[in-house]
Amino acid sequence: MKSHSILNKMKGTLTLLMLLWLTALTAGAQTTSRNVLVVPQFEVGINKVVYVPVHLENTDPVTAVQFNITLPYPVPTDGTPILSLRSDGHSASLISSGNNTYKVVVLSMENKAIRGNKGLLLQIPMQVGNATAASYSITLGGVVLTDKL
């Protein structure tokens, strides 16, 4: 009877040690990802087409990006996004949702990752009118980053 009690205690201790070991193992394997889409500050000219820079900082591979952007002025009717050298056969599309809000999609039909980990991803043309404000609000939302299609 006493040996059965000792055996149960040993099993309990072994189970606890295994759980602690698994916890330490998975905690050491976890890393912090940083995948951020940003519109940095840029200059605007009056009555000109300017290009809104969109930067991507990514620690994980990213093959496609989708987001909504609201601009203070409209994109010209013939305006299309211009991809940076970070693209690797990617294509970009811009779809108007009305009220100077657009859905932007960047993707690779070959499932290639965007090059690099930081910097300019694309530029979106914007037709500025008689700019009088010192700064304007640009809103990003509905951001989706993926590593495969």
Side-chain angles (χ1 to χ4, degrees):
M1 184 83 150
K2 192 172 183 180
S3 64
H4 189 359
S5 174
I6 292 173
L7 187 59
N8 282 340
K9 284 183 181 180
M10 286 177 60
K11 283 183 182 177
T13 303
L14 277 174
T15 303
L16 181 60
L17 287 173
M18 287 294 285
L19 285 173
L20 289 172
W21 180 74
L22 285 172
T23 302
L25 184 64
T26 57
Q30 293 176 351
T31 60
T32 303
S33 294
R34 180 166 169 79
N35 302 299
V36 182
L37 206 58
V38 176
V39 175
Q41 196 169 14
F42 65 99
E43 301 225 358
V44 174
I46 297 173
N47 294 320
K48 293 184 175 186
V49 173
V50 297
Y51 291 87
V52 179
V54 179
H55 288 233
L56 172 65
E57 181 181 332
N58 57 297
T59 55
D60 297 321
V62 175
T63 60
V65 177
Q66 176 180 307
F67 61 94
N68 300 323
I69 187 167
T70 302
L71 303 170
Y73 290 100
V75 170
T77 53
D78 61 347
T80 57
I82 300 170
L83 288 164
S84 74
L85 295 176
R86 290 189 66 189
S87 68
D88 187 7
H90 290 75
S91 61
S93 62
L94 186 74
I95 303 160
S96 176
S97 303
N99 298 323
N100 297 336
T101 299
Y102 304 88
K103 180 178 294 298
V104 180
V105 178
V106 176
L107 61 90
S108 166
M109 294 304 288
E110 297 164 354
N111 225 16
K112 291 183 178 179
I114 293 168
R115 294 177 180 143
N117 297 102
K118 190 174 185 180
L120 181 67
L121 175 63
L122 74 142
Q123 296 175 320
I124 301 169
M126 179 176 72
Q127 178 66 56
V128 178
N130 292 327
T132 56
S135 64
Y136 294 95
S137 176
I138 294 177
T139 306
L140 290 175
V143 177
V144 178
L145 305 174
T146 185
D147 65 347
K148 57 185 144 190
L149 293 178

mmCIF file of all heavy atoms in Angstrom, residues 74-116:
data_model
loop_
_atom_site.group_PDB
_atom_site.id
_atom_site.type_symbol
_atom_site.label_atom_id
_atom_site.label_comp_id
_atom_site.label_asym_id
_atom_site.label_seq_id
_atom_site.Cartn_x
_atom_site.Cartn_y
_atom_site.Cartn_z
ATOM 1 N N PRO A 74 -9.287 63.366 -53.493
ATOM 2 C CA PRO A 74 -9.491 62.143 -54.290
ATOM 3 C C PRO A 74 -8.247 61.709 -55.059
ATOM 4 O O PRO A 74 -7.332 62.487 -55.298
ATOM 5 C CB PRO A 74 -10.595 62.559 -55.270
ATOM 6 C CG PRO A 74 -10.428 64.036 -55.423
ATOM 7 C CD PRO A 74 -9.967 64.528 -54.075
ATOM 8 N N VAL A 75 -8.260 60.455 -55.440
ATOM 9 C CA VAL A 75 -7.272 59.907 -56.359
ATOM 10 C C VAL A 75 -7.713 60.337 -57.751
ATOM 11 O O VAL A 75 -8.902 60.291 -58.066
ATOM 12 C CB VAL A 75 -7.218 58.362 -56.245
ATOM 13 C CG1 VAL A 75 -6.389 57.749 -57.355
ATOM 14 C CG2 VAL A 75 -6.690 57.953 -54.882
ATOM 15 N N PRO A 76 -6.793 60.780 -58.620
ATOM 16 C CA PRO A 76 -7.188 61.142 -59.989
ATOM 17 C C PRO A 76 -7.867 59.963 -60.685
ATOM 18 O O PRO A 76 -7.579 58.801 -60.376
ATOM 19 C CB PRO A 76 -5.868 61.481 -60.681
ATOM 20 C CG PRO A 76 -4.872 61.692 -59.600
ATOM 21 C CD PRO A 76 -5.350 60.921 -58.415
ATOM 22 N N THR A 77 -8.759 60.246 -61.630
ATOM 23 C CA THR A 77 -9.503 59.170 -62.295
ATOM 24 C C THR A 77 -8.585 58.165 -62.988
ATOM 25 O O THR A 77 -8.917 56.995 -63.089
ATOM 26 C CB THR A 77 -10.496 59.744 -63.328
ATOM 27 O OG1 THR A 77 -9.791 60.613 -64.213
ATOM 28 C CG2 THR A 77 -11.606 60.487 -62.644
ATOM 29 N N ASP A 78 -7.417 58.604 -63.452
ATOM 30 C CA ASP A 78 -6.481 57.685 -64.089
ATOM 31 C C ASP A 78 -5.372 57.244 -63.125
ATOM 32 O O ASP A 78 -4.374 56.658 -63.541
ATOM 33 C CB ASP A 78 -5.865 58.321 -65.331
ATOM 34 C CG ASP A 78 -5.084 59.589 -65.007
ATOM 35 O OD1 ASP A 78 -5.219 60.117 -63.894
ATOM 36 O OD2 ASP A 78 -4.340 60.059 -65.893
ATOM 37 N N GLY A 79 -5.551 57.520 -61.835
ATOM 38 C CA GLY A 79 -4.520 57.220 -60.840
ATOM 39 C C GLY A 79 -4.461 55.748 -60.475
ATOM 40 O O GLY A 79 -5.480 55.113 -60.242
ATOM 41 N N THR A 80 -3.256 55.223 -60.443
ATOM 42 C CA THR A 80 -3.026 53.848 -59.997
ATOM 43 C C THR A 80 -1.865 53.850 -59.004
ATOM 44 O O THR A 80 -0.952 54.676 -59.110
ATOM 45 C CB THR A 80 -2.672 52.905 -61.171
ATOM 46 O OG1 THR A 80 -1.526 53.420 -61.842
ATOM 47 C CG2 THR A 80 -3.824 52.778 -62.149
ATOM 48 N N PRO A 81 -1.873 52.942 -58.055
ATOM 49 C CA PRO A 81 -0.774 52.873 -57.089
ATOM 50 C C PRO A 81 0.532 52.497 -57.785
ATOM 51 O O PRO A 81 0.537 51.754 -58.766
ATOM 52 C CB PRO A 81 -1.195 51.766 -56.124
ATOM 53 C CG PRO A 81 -2.596 51.449 -56.426
ATOM 54 C CD PRO A 81 -2.892 51.938 -57.792
ATOM 55 N N ILE A 82 1.619 53.024 -57.273
ATOM 56 C CA ILE A 82 2.948 52.722 -57.803
ATOM 57 C C ILE A 82 3.678 51.887 -56.757
ATOM 58 O O ILE A 82 3.908 52.345 -55.637
ATOM 59 C CB ILE A 82 3.731 54.014 -58.094
ATOM 60 C CG1 ILE A 82 2.983 54.853 -59.128
ATOM 61 C CG2 ILE A 82 5.140 53.687 -58.552
ATOM 62 C CD1 ILE A 82 3.552 56.252 -59.293
ATOM 63 N N LEU A 83 4.044 50.665 -57.128
ATOM 64 C CA LEU A 83 4.759 49.779 -56.213
ATOM 65 C C LEU A 83 6.230 50.152 -56.143
ATOM 66 O O LEU A 83 6.822 50.597 -57.124
ATOM 67 C CB LEU A 83 4.618 48.328 -56.659
ATOM 68 C CG LEU A 83 3.229 47.724 -56.453
ATOM 69 C CD1 LEU A 83 3.082 46.452 -57.257
ATOM 70 C CD2 LEU A 83 2.993 47.463 -54.979
ATOM 71 N N SER A 84 6.828 49.945 -54.978
ATOM 72 C CA SER A 84 8.255 50.214 -54.782
ATOM 73 C C SER A 84 9.076 49.006 -55.232
ATOM 74 O O SER A 84 8.528 47.978 -55.648
ATOM 75 C CB SER A 84 8.534 50.509 -53.308
ATOM 76 O OG SER A 84 8.463 49.308 -52.564
ATOM 77 N N LEU A 85 10.379 49.115 -55.087
ATOM 78 C CA LEU A 85 11.277 48.015 -55.431
ATOM 79 C C LEU A 85 11.143 46.828 -54.483
ATOM 80 O O LEU A 85 11.725 45.768 -54.731
ATOM 81 C CB LEU A 85 12.728 48.509 -55.451
ATOM 82 C CG LEU A 85 13.034 49.537 -56.535
ATOM 83 C CD1 LEU A 85 14.471 50.044 -56.401
ATOM 84 C CD2 LEU A 85 12.806 48.953 -57.915
ATOM 85 N N ARG A 86 10.370 46.989 -53.418
ATOM 86 C CA ARG A 86 10.137 45.863 -52.508
ATOM 87 C C ARG A 86 9.237 44.817 -53.149
ATOM 88 O O ARG A 86 9.212 43.670 -52.718
ATOM 89 C CB ARG A 86 9.508 46.348 -51.194
ATOM 90 C CG ARG A 86 10.474 47.156 -50.350
ATOM 91 C CD ARG A 86 9.917 47.426 -48.984
ATOM 92 N NE ARG A 86 9.795 46.177 -48.231
ATOM 93 C CZ ARG A 86 9.166 46.084 -47.065
ATOM 94 N NH1 ARG A 86 8.634 47.159 -46.510
ATOM 95 N NH2 ARG A 86 9.087 44.928 -46.441
ATOM 96 N N SER A 87 8.493 45.222 -54.177
ATOM 97 C CA SER A 87 7.609 44.259 -54.836
ATOM 98 C C SER A 87 8.439 43.285 -55.665
ATOM 99 O O SER A 87 9.513 43.616 -56.155
ATOM 100 C CB SER A 87 6.585 44.981 -55.713
ATOM 101 O OG SER A 87 7.219 45.592 -56.806
ATOM 102 N N ASP A 88 7.932 42.079 -55.802
ATOM 103 C CA ASP A 88 8.626 41.038 -56.558
ATOM 104 C C ASP A 88 7.597 40.372 -57.472
ATOM 105 O O ASP A 88 7.151 39.256 -57.212
ATOM 106 C CB ASP A 88 9.257 40.033 -55.597
ATOM 107 C CG ASP A 88 10.136 39.014 -56.308
ATOM 108 O OD1 ASP A 88 10.367 39.160 -57.527
ATOM 109 O OD2 ASP A 88 10.597 38.065 -55.648
ATOM 110 N N GLY A 89 7.194 41.103 -58.512
ATOM 111 C CA GLY A 89 6.152 40.591 -59.394
ATOM 112 C C GLY A 89 4.756 40.802 -58.837
ATOM 113 O O GLY A 89 3.803 40.200 -59.317
ATOM 114 N N HIS A 90 4.629 41.650 -57.815
ATOM 115 C CA HIS A 90 3.325 41.933 -57.218
ATOM 116 C C HIS A 90 2.532 42.891 -58.109
ATOM 117 O O HIS A 90 3.105 43.624 -58.909
ATOM 118 C CB HIS A 90 3.490 42.563 -55.825
ATOM 119 C CG HIS A 90 4.016 41.615 -54.806
ATOM 120 N ND1 HIS A 90 5.340 41.229 -54.775
ATOM 121 C CD2 HIS A 90 3.397 40.966 -53.796
ATOM 122 C CE1 HIS A 90 5.510 40.379 -53.771
ATOM 123 N NE2 HIS A 90 4.353 40.199 -53.170
ATOM 124 N N SER A 91 1.235 42.895 -57.925
ATOM 125 C CA SER A 91 0.381 43.872 -58.594
ATOM 126 C C SER A 91 -0.401 44.607 -57.516
ATOM 127 O O SER A 91 -0.591 44.104 -56.405
ATOM 128 C CB SER A 91 -0.559 43.189 -59.582
ATOM 129 O OG SER A 91 -1.401 42.276 -58.914
ATOM 130 N N ALA A 92 -0.826 45.822 -57.854
ATOM 131 C CA ALA A 92 -1.584 46.640 -56.898
ATOM 132 C C ALA A 92 -2.846 47.153 -57.568
ATOM 133 O O ALA A 92 -2.828 47.525 -58.746
ATOM 134 C CB ALA A 92 -0.730 47.810 -56.415
ATOM 135 N N SER A 93 -3.933 47.140 -56.822
ATOM 136 C CA SER A 93 -5.180 47.699 -57.340
ATOM 137 C C SER A 93 -5.779 48.630 -56.302
ATOM 138 O O SER A 93 -5.524 48.510 -55.101
ATOM 139 C CB SER A 93 -6.164 46.589 -57.711
ATOM 140 O OG SER A 93 -6.508 45.830 -56.570
ATOM 141 N N LEU A 94 -6.579 49.559 -56.801
ATOM 142 C CA LEU A 94 -7.194 50.596 -55.981
ATOM 143 C C LEU A 94 -8.668 50.656 -56.373
ATOM 144 O O LEU A 94 -8.985 50.872 -57.542
ATOM 145 C CB LEU A 94 -6.488 51.920 -56.283
ATOM 146 C CG LEU A 94 -6.839 53.142 -55.479
ATOM 147 C CD1 LEU A 94 -6.229 53.040 -54.091
ATOM 148 C CD2 LEU A 94 -6.292 54.374 -56.168
ATOM 149 N N ILE A 95 -9.562 50.439 -55.417
ATOM 150 C CA ILE A 95 -10.994 50.424 -55.691
ATOM 151 C C ILE A 95 -11.661 51.483 -54.823
ATOM 152 O O ILE A 95 -11.522 51.469 -53.592
ATOM 153 C CB ILE A 95 -11.599 49.037 -55.378
ATOM 154 C CG1 ILE A 95 -10.877 47.956 -56.187
ATOM 155 C CG2 ILE A 95 -13.093 49.019 -55.654
ATOM 156 C CD1 ILE A 95 -11.038 46.570 -55.643
ATOM 157 N N SER A 96 -12.391 52.402 -55.459
ATOM 158 C CA SER A 96 -13.059 53.475 -54.721
ATOM 159 C C SER A 96 -14.289 52.947 -53.987
ATOM 160 O O SER A 96 -15.088 52.202 -54.553
ATOM 161 C CB SER A 96 -13.471 54.590 -55.681
ATOM 162 O OG SER A 96 -14.194 55.583 -54.971
ATOM 163 N N SER A 97 -14.420 53.365 -52.730
ATOM 164 C CA SER A 97 -15.604 53.041 -51.933
ATOM 165 C C SER A 97 -16.459 54.284 -51.734
ATOM 166 O O SER A 97 -17.443 54.250 -51.009
ATOM 167 C CB SER A 97 -15.189 52.487 -50.561
ATOM 168 O OG SER A 97 -14.369 51.373 -50.703
ATOM 169 N N GLY A 98 -16.060 55.413 -52.339
ATOM 170 C CA GLY A 98 -16.765 56.680 -52.191
ATOM 171 C C GLY A 98 -16.180 57.508 -51.055
ATOM 172 O O GLY A 98 -15.479 56.994 -50.175
ATOM 173 N N ASN A 99 -16.435 58.805 -51.080
ATOM 174 C CA ASN A 99 -15.980 59.742 -50.046
ATOM 175 C C ASN A 99 -14.466 59.687 -49.818
ATOM 176 O O ASN A 99 -14.003 59.738 -48.679
ATOM 177 C CB ASN A 99 -16.717 59.516 -48.726
ATOM 178 C CG ASN A 99 -18.195 59.757 -48.856
ATOM 179 O OD1 ASN A 99 -18.619 60.661 -49.576
ATOM 180 N ND2 ASN A 99 -18.986 58.947 -48.191
ATOM 181 N N ASN A 100 -13.696 59.570 -50.903
ATOM 182 C CA ASN A 100 -12.223 59.529 -50.838
ATOM 183 C C ASN A 100 -11.684 58.362 -50.022
ATOM 184 O O ASN A 100 -10.586 58.427 -49.474
ATOM 185 C CB ASN A 100 -11.648 60.846 -50.316
ATOM 186 C CG ASN A 100 -11.951 62.007 -51.230
ATOM 187 O OD1 ASN A 100 -12.184 61.824 -52.417
ATOM 188 N ND2 ASN A 100 -11.951 63.203 -50.690
ATOM 189 N N THR A 101 -12.466 57.300 -49.937
ATOM 190 C CA THR A 101 -12.038 56.072 -49.272
ATOM 191 C C THR A 101 -11.800 55.015 -50.348
ATOM 192 O O THR A 101 -12.614 54.870 -51.262
ATOM 193 C CB THR A 101 -13.081 55.587 -48.251
ATOM 194 O OG1 THR A 101 -13.242 56.590 -47.254
ATOM 195 C CG2 THR A 101 -12.657 54.291 -47.580
ATOM 196 N N TYR A 102 -10.697 54.306 -50.220
ATOM 197 C CA TYR A 102 -10.293 53.336 -51.237
ATOM 198 C C TYR A 102 -9.839 52.043 -50.585
ATOM 199 O O TYR A 102 -9.260 52.058 -49.510
ATOM 200 C CB TYR A 102 -9.132 53.900 -52.081
ATOM 201 C CG TYR A 102 -9.479 55.212 -52.719
ATOM 202 C CD1 TYR A 102 -9.266 56.415 -52.040
ATOM 203 C CD2 TYR A 102 -10.042 55.263 -53.994
ATOM 204 C CE1 TYR A 102 -9.607 57.630 -52.618
ATOM 205 C CE2 TYR A 102 -10.376 56.480 -54.576
ATOM 206 C CZ TYR A 102 -10.157 57.652 -53.883
ATOM 207 O OH TYR A 102 -10.507 58.859 -54.446
ATOM 208 N N LYS A 103 -10.115 50.934 -51.272
ATOM 209 C CA LYS A 103 -9.579 49.636 -50.861
ATOM 210 C C LYS A 103 -8.346 49.394 -51.727
ATOM 211 O O LYS A 103 -8.410 49.490 -52.946
ATOM 212 C CB LYS A 103 -10.587 48.513 -51.061
ATOM 213 C CG LYS A 103 -10.039 47.149 -50.640
ATOM 214 C CD LYS A 103 -11.056 46.047 -50.782
ATOM 215 C CE LYS A 103 -12.221 46.199 -49.853
ATOM 216 N NZ LYS A 103 -11.955 46.158 -48.425
ATOM 217 N N VAL A 104 -7.224 49.104 -51.082
ATOM 218 C CA VAL A 104 -5.968 48.848 -51.781
ATOM 219 C C VAL A 104 -5.617 47.377 -51.570
ATOM 220 O O VAL A 104 -5.666 46.874 -50.452
ATOM 221 C CB VAL A 104 -4.840 49.755 -51.237
ATOM 222 C CG1 VAL A 104 -3.538 49.476 -51.964
ATOM 223 C CG2 VAL A 104 -5.229 51.227 -51.352
ATOM 224 N N VAL A 105 -5.250 46.722 -52.674
ATOM 225 C CA VAL A 105 -4.842 45.322 -52.611
ATOM 226 C C VAL A 105 -3.508 45.176 -53.339
ATOM 227 O O VAL A 105 -3.371 45.621 -54.476
ATOM 228 C CB VAL A 105 -5.896 44.388 -53.254
ATOM 229 C CG1 VAL A 105 -5.426 42.941 -53.229
ATOM 230 C CG2 VAL A 105 -7.246 44.538 -52.576
ATOM 231 N N VAL A 106 -2.539 44.575 -52.647
ATOM 232 C CA VAL A 106 -1.236 44.259 -53.228
ATOM 233 C C VAL A 106 -1.074 42.750 -53.100
ATOM 234 O O VAL A 106 -1.204 42.214 -51.997
ATOM 235 C CB VAL A 106 -0.085 44.978 -52.482
ATOM 236 C CG1 VAL A 106 1.267 44.563 -53.051
ATOM 237 C CG2 VAL A 106 -0.264 46.481 -52.522
ATOM 238 N N LEU A 107 -0.810 42.072 -54.232
ATOM 239 C CA LEU A 107 -0.681 40.620 -54.148
ATOM 240 C C LEU A 107 0.265 40.083 -55.202
ATOM 241 O O LEU A 107 0.577 40.757 -56.182
ATOM 242 C CB LEU A 107 -2.036 39.931 -54.258
ATOM 243 C CG LEU A 107 -2.850 40.141 -55.536
ATOM 244 C CD1 LEU A 107 -2.518 39.088 -56.561
ATOM 245 C CD2 LEU A 107 -4.325 40.081 -55.203
ATOM 246 N N SER A 108 0.702 38.865 -54.971
ATOM 247 C CA SER A 108 1.567 38.143 -55.896
ATOM 248 C C SER A 108 0.837 36.866 -56.295
ATOM 249 O O SER A 108 0.567 36.022 -55.444
ATOM 250 C CB SER A 108 2.899 37.788 -55.228
ATOM 251 O OG SER A 108 3.589 36.825 -55.996
ATOM 252 N N MET A 109 0.526 36.741 -57.566
ATOM 253 C CA MET A 109 -0.137 35.525 -58.039
ATOM 254 C C MET A 109 0.797 34.316 -57.926
ATOM 255 O O MET A 109 0.347 33.181 -57.950
ATOM 256 C CB MET A 109 -0.608 35.699 -59.487
ATOM 257 C CG MET A 109 -1.702 36.749 -59.629
ATOM 258 S SD MET A 109 -3.145 36.436 -58.600
ATOM 259 C CE MET A 109 -3.853 35.050 -59.441
ATOM 260 N N GLU A 110 2.089 34.582 -57.785
ATOM 261 C CA GLU A 110 3.067 33.503 -57.625
ATOM 262 C C GLU A 110 3.392 33.253 -56.155
ATOM 263 O O GLU A 110 4.297 32.491 -55.839
ATOM 264 C CB GLU A 110 4.334 33.847 -58.403
ATOM 265 C CG GLU A 110 4.087 33.951 -59.892
ATOM 266 C CD GLU A 110 5.206 34.666 -60.620
ATOM 267 O OE1 GLU A 110 6.123 35.190 -59.964
ATOM 268 O OE2 GLU A 110 5.147 34.705 -61.853
ATOM 269 N N ASN A 111 2.673 33.939 -55.268
ATOM 270 C CA ASN A 111 2.843 33.769 -53.828
ATOM 271 C C ASN A 111 4.240 34.151 -53.347
ATOM 272 O O ASN A 111 4.764 33.567 -52.404
ATOM 273 C CB ASN A 111 2.516 32.336 -53.420
ATOM 274 C CG ASN A 111 1.658 32.284 -52.182
ATOM 275 O OD1 ASN A 111 1.064 33.269 -51.778
ATOM 276 N ND2 ASN A 111 1.593 31.126 -51.573
ATOM 277 N N LYS A 112 4.856 35.147 -53.990
ATOM 278 C CA LYS A 112 6.183 35.610 -53.588
ATOM 279 C C LYS A 112 6.063 36.604 -52.442
ATOM 280 O O LYS A 112 5.147 37.423 -52.416
ATOM 281 C CB LYS A 112 6.905 36.273 -54.761
ATOM 282 C CG LYS A 112 7.306 35.310 -55.851
ATOM 283 C CD LYS A 112 8.081 36.040 -56.915
ATOM 284 C CE LYS A 112 8.552 35.108 -58.009
ATOM 285 N NZ LYS A 112 9.295 35.850 -59.043
ATOM 286 N N ALA A 113 7.000 36.557 -51.540
ATOM 287 C CA ALA A 113 7.013 37.483 -50.400
ATOM 288 C C ALA A 113 7.505 38.859 -50.860
ATOM 289 O O ALA A 113 8.319 38.966 -51.779
ATOM 290 C CB ALA A 113 7.920 36.959 -49.297
ATOM 291 N N ILE A 114 7.001 39.882 -50.217
ATOM 292 C CA ILE A 114 7.482 41.241 -50.447
ATOM 293 C C ILE A 114 8.921 41.293 -49.954
ATOM 294 O O ILE A 114 9.240 40.778 -48.879
ATOM 295 C CB ILE A 114 6.575 42.251 -49.710
ATOM 296 C CG1 ILE A 114 5.193 42.246 -50.366
ATOM 297 C CG2 ILE A 114 7.184 43.639 -49.698
ATOM 298 C CD1 ILE A 114 4.125 42.979 -49.586
ATOM 299 N N ARG A 115 9.770 41.943 -50.732
ATOM 300 C CA ARG A 115 11.201 41.999 -50.397
ATOM 301 C C ARG A 115 11.459 42.894 -49.190
ATOM 302 O O ARG A 115 10.789 43.896 -48.999
ATOM 303 C CB ARG A 115 11.989 42.547 -51.581
ATOM 304 C CG ARG A 115 11.987 41.662 -52.787
ATOM 305 C CD ARG A 115 12.727 42.338 -53.923
ATOM 306 N NE ARG A 115 12.743 41.501 -55.106
ATOM 307 C CZ ARG A 115 12.636 41.965 -56.338
ATOM 308 N NH1 ARG A 115 12.528 43.255 -56.571
ATOM 309 N NH2 ARG A 115 12.654 41.141 -57.352
ATOM 310 N N GLY A 116 12.477 42.548 -48.451
ATOM 311 C CA GLY A 116 12.907 43.381 -47.326
ATOM 312 C C GLY A 116 11.964 43.314 -46.146
ATOM 313 O O GLY A 116 10.973 42.592 -46.151
#
